[in-house]
Every structure is written in structure tokens, then in C-alpha cells.
Amino acid sequence: MCRSHDYSNSLREKGSAKEALTLELLGHLETAFRRYKQERSKIASRMNLAEGQIILLVMLGKRLRCNASDIAAHIGITSGAVTGMTDKLVQLGLVHRERSEEDRRVVHFSLTSDGGMLVEHIRAEQYRLMLEMVGSVTEEELGHVIRFFHQINNYGRLTEDEGREEHTK
């Protein structure tokens, strides 16, 4: 069993309370995301799919149609890797592959009706998992968590927007 070190104690002695709390938050986020990822991996395994394929299916469920570059950017893989990932999904009848009429080099992917039904099942499993994880959290606490994530998720966008403003001056 791995032993962990509580860095927040040493930081609390050297730094501010906010720094110590931020470090503690980082530890909790890492643990929560690791646990969520493990459970999500079990969902993928039960469906005989890789996690990346689950992410791709859910993405197509939200966006309806994407090209390989969109998928690659969203998942964080190369366009070439998208081809390998989608081959099995096309073979299983979950994803439809179509060449662009305007540019034959561009391939668009969309869900088949079976793929759409599977995405509904995946989303239901993810929702069930999240309900289990927040089972003891009150509605008020959950509202605080949602606002917190909204703030940190917007951080990157604000920074990018500020950078664009600075760059155009």
C-alpha cells in the first residue's frame, strides 16, 4: 500500500492558510477524480469499450456530428488515433462515418440510432455514479460545489480572453 504525505501541514507552517487549503483541495480533487475515473472505467469495461471510446460517444451525443480534428482536440489524441478508435465503433454499428462532400479528406462522424441508445445508457450510468458519490452532500453544499467548479472552469477562458485583449492592443 502506498503511503501519502500530507503536504498541507508543512505548508500551513510555512505559508498562508489559503495556500494550505488550496493544497488540501488539490489532494481531494485528485482523489475524487481518480475514484470517478476508476468507476467510469468499470462502466466502459462492462460495455467492452475503451474509456476514450465512451468519451467519444458521449461527445457525439452532445454535438451530433464531428470531424476527426474535433474529436482529437476534445479527447487529447492525434487525428490518426481517432481513426483507430472509431474503427471499432463503426464496426459495432454505433458510429456512422461519412466523407465530406466539400473536402473528401475530411471525415465526419455521427451516432447511429444504436449509438444514441448506448449514449443514453452511458449517461444514465454516469448519473447513477455521480448520485452515489454525492449521496451524503446536501443540496446547499452541492450548489456551492457547482458554483466553485463554474468559477474554476471559467478561469482558463478568462485568462485566454485577457491574453487575446492584450495581444490585440
Side-chain angles (χ1 to χ4, degrees), residues 71-118:
I71 295 167
H74 182 78
I75 298 176
I77 59 175
T78 65
S79 294
V82 170
T83 302
M85 184 182 289
T86 56
D87 284 346
K88 181 179 179 185
L89 297 174
V90 169
Q91 198 173 42
L92 291 171
L94 301 172
V95 170
H96 179 68
R97 179 185 293 143
E98 180 182 349
R99 293 230 176 254
S100 168
E101 301 264 336
E102 299 84 40
D103 184 347
R104 301 297 292 165
R105 296 171 297 175
V106 176
V107 178
H108 295 285
F109 298 95
S110 58
L111 291 176
T112 63
S113 59
D114 286 347
M117 289 189 300
L118 181 60

Side-chain angles (χ1 to χ4, degrees), residues 24 27 34 58 86 96 105 130 161:
E24 185 177 347
R34 184 177 56 251
V58 170
T86 56
H96 179 68
R105 296 171 297 175
M130 190 54 61
D161 291 344

Side-chain angles (χ1 to χ4, degrees), residues 2-16:
C2 291
R3 296 186 62 183
S4 62
H5 178 73
D6 184 5
Y7 292 103
S8 60
N9 283 338
S10 58
L11 187 59
R12 196 172 276 125
E13 294 167 5
K14 297 175 185 174
S16 73

Side-chain angles (χ1 to χ4, degrees), residues 150-169:
H150 181 65
Q151 284 180 315
I152 62 172
N153 285 338
N154 284 324
Y155 169 76
R157 288 187 204 125
L158 294 174
T159 305
E160 290 169 9
D161 291 344
E162 290 167 359
R164 278 192 287 270
E165 288 172 9
E166 288 295 318
H167 192 65
T168 58
K169 288 182 182 177

Side-chain angles (χ1 to χ4, degrees), residues 3-160:
R3 296 186 62 183
S4 62
H5 178 73
D6 184 5
Y7 292 103
S8 60
N9 283 338
S10 58
L11 187 59
R12 196 172 276 125
E13 294 167 5
K14 297 175 185 174
S16 73
K18 186 170 184 176
E19 290 171 333
L21 289 170
T22 301
L23 192 58
E24 185 177 347
L25 172 64
L26 179 61
H28 288 298
L29 285 173
E30 288 170 345
T31 300
F33 291 143
R34 184 177 56 251
R35 287 183 57 221
Y36 179 77
K37 189 173 176 357
Q38 288 169 344
E39 293 300 320
R40 193 178 67 191
S41 181
K42 290 177 188 175
I43 293 169
S45 181
R46 284 195 301 267
M47 296 177 182
N48 293 318
L49 295 171
E51 276 189 78
Q53 290 169 321
I54 296 286
I55 293 168
L56 188 152
L57 288 168
V58 170
M59 176 188 177
L60 288 175
K62 291 178 183 175
R63 296 191 182 177
L64 303 180
R65 187 174 123 156
C66 296
N67 63 35
S69 298
D70 295 333
I71 295 167
H74 182 78
I75 298 176
I77 59 175
T78 65
S79 294
V82 170
T83 302
M85 184 182 289
T86 56
D87 284 346
K88 181 179 179 185
L89 297 174
V90 169
Q91 198 173 42
L92 291 171
L94 301 172
V95 170
H96 179 68
R97 179 185 293 143
E98 180 182 349
R99 293 230 176 254
S100 168
E101 301 264 336
E102 299 84 40
D103 184 347
R104 301 297 292 165
R105 296 171 297 175
V106 176
V107 178
H108 295 285
F109 298 95
S110 58
L111 291 176
T112 63
S113 59
D114 286 347
M117 289 189 300
L118 181 60
V119 167
E120 287 179 25
H121 179 70
I122 291 166
R123 297 300 290 172
E125 284 286 308
Q126 291 174 331
Y127 178 70
R128 180 199 53 75
L129 171 60
M130 190 54 61
L131 278 177
E132 286 177 18
M133 292 181 78
V134 300
S136 64
V137 177
T138 67
E139 286 181 29
E140 182 180 359
E141 290 168 329
L142 197 52
H144 291 303
V145 171
I146 290 167
R147 283 188 292 285
F148 165 76
F149 276 106
H150 181 65
Q151 284 180 315
I152 62 172
N153 285 338
N154 284 324
Y155 169 76
R157 288 187 204 125
L158 294 174
T159 305
E160 290 169 9

